[in-house]
Amino acid sequence: MKEKIEQLKAAAAEALKNASSKEDLEALRIKYLGKKGELTGLLKQLGSVAPEERPKIGQLVNEAKSKIETAINENRDKIARAAKELKLAGEAVDITMPAKEKKVGVLHPLNRVLDDMIDIFKSMGFDVVDGPEVETDHYNFECLNVPADHPARDMQDTFYLADKLLLRTQTSAAQIRTMETRKPPIRVICPGRVFRADEVDATHSPVFHQIEGLVVDKGITMCDLKGVLEQFAREIYGKDTEVRFRPSFFPFTEPSVEVDVTCSECGGKGCRVCKGSGWIEILGAGMVHPNVLRCCGIDPDEYSGFAFGIGLDRLTTTKYKISDIRLLFENDKRFLEQFD
Ligand code: DAH
């Protein structure tokens, strides 16, 4: 019997050496210590042992049992530790590895120029207002002193959505909405998209951007207009920039002007960008027509004002020397990435 116990212990120790997983250990536990296991089997044979030997043999069996038990438990811990270490090794972070580059988006060139413009006008006390892209004939034309049969309507090929409902052809519509809701003194700019049924080419797009400006107060003159636009041009293009007014016509201003700045590329000498003239046209402007003020309930005998409309796309293409306006709308990443 003693021998059997020793053999069993040796066999169990040997088997344990080869156990490499939790499942192996559980099988061993059942084999040796389970209800139908080998040690239990031995205990059952205790009856055949001489009575005086029984306590001794019983003790030996119990000792063997606890020894095997301890060995199995220790082995289980060892296997668990090894598994944990393996897992940690797999998850280890190599802090010497170079970091992955994070790609951050950049502002669209139009937004860059617009942000600059908003800063400049805000510094001169202007508010930024918004207007709807779907407008009525009243705001886009009628109240801007462009009655139904006025030839100026032909200058702007309009997308009509329904009778008297259209996609605004000019941010000037926002002038009217502003004067309807605010009392003078008024000083606002309204940036936004405008729409015209134009053929697409290098300088034309059916969707483009304008920034409307409007100032209404007592005693506003053309000098104020010139001062504001000069300040604006010098901040955008540089302090040596000259501004010139050329007489023009817009139904909603009287007198009306077109405004040029000295070409920022050649400084006025003449180059490819300014087509040799030394000047670049950037906006239309003028003194708000009395009919427009009257339409908005403002007395033209008491108040006067100036307005201007700047083409944002043109400003952006000249500033960044972009040769084709379509690049601004195609959203080709290779183009946009250059404005980092
Ligand atoms: N709305 C004009 C256009 O789209 C631009 C313009 C000219 C706006 C003169 C003005 C202005 O406010 O006073 O061509």
Side-chain angles (χ1 to χ4, degrees), residues 156 169-172 175 196 210 212-213 250 252-253 257 284-286 307-309:
Q156 302 182 357
T169 60
Q170 46 189 352
T171 46
S172 305
Q175 282 186 31
R196 287 183 204 175
Q210 290 184 333
E212 193 75 13
F250 298 103
F252 31 88
T253 44
V257 289
F308 54 87

Side-chain angles (χ1 to χ4, degrees), residues 102-252:
K102 274 219 174 98
K103 291 245 174 192
V104 179
V106 295
L107 279 182
H108 191 282
L110 283 172
N111 284 94
R112 285 177 164 246
V113 176
L114 177 59
D115 285 355
D116 285 351
M117 291 178 67
I118 288 176
D119 281 350
I120 295 168
F121 282 109
K122 272 189 172 171
S123 78
M124 290 193 268
F126 284 74
D127 282 346
V128 181
V129 298
D130 204 9
E133 291 177 350
V134 174
E135 262 301 2
T136 61
D137 183 273
H138 172 80
Y139 288 106
N140 196 81
F141 290 125
E142 198 73 36
C143 208
L144 282 162
N145 202 29
V146 191
D149 54 353
H150 198 287
R153 291 201 181 204
D154 300 339
M155 284 158 53
Q156 302 182 357
D157 286 325
T158 311
F159 286 114
Y160 280 94
L161 303 173
D163 186 32
K164 304 225 179 252
L165 196 66
L166 46 88
L167 293 178
R168 69 177 172 195
T169 60
Q170 46 189 352
T171 46
S172 305
Q175 282 186 31
I176 308 301
R177 289 185 175 272
T178 304
M179 285 189 276
E180 274 182 359
T181 52
R182 294 190 181 207
K183 296 240 160 323
I186 293 170
R187 229 180 297 168
V188 295
I189 55 167
C190 172
R193 285 197 295 188
V194 295
F195 308 83
R196 287 183 204 175
D198 267 337
E199 289 288 336
V200 178
D201 64 26
T203 54
H204 293 89
S205 160
V207 184
F208 55 103
H209 302 80
Q210 290 184 333
I211 293 142
E212 193 75 13
L214 174 73
V215 170
V216 182
D217 202 353
K218 286 181 179 157
I220 296 291
T221 70
M222 202 87 173
C223 287
D224 300 307
L225 171 63
K226 193 152 194 207
V228 164
L229 293 181
E230 245 166 20
Q231 173 72 11
F232 158 71
R234 289 182 181 157
E235 294 221 31
I236 279 274
Y237 287 110
K239 62 177 173 22
D240 297 327
T241 309
E242 292 295 330
V243 174
R244 92 177 169 187
F245 281 20
R246 275 181 292 112
S248 183
F249 170 79
F250 298 103
F252 31 88

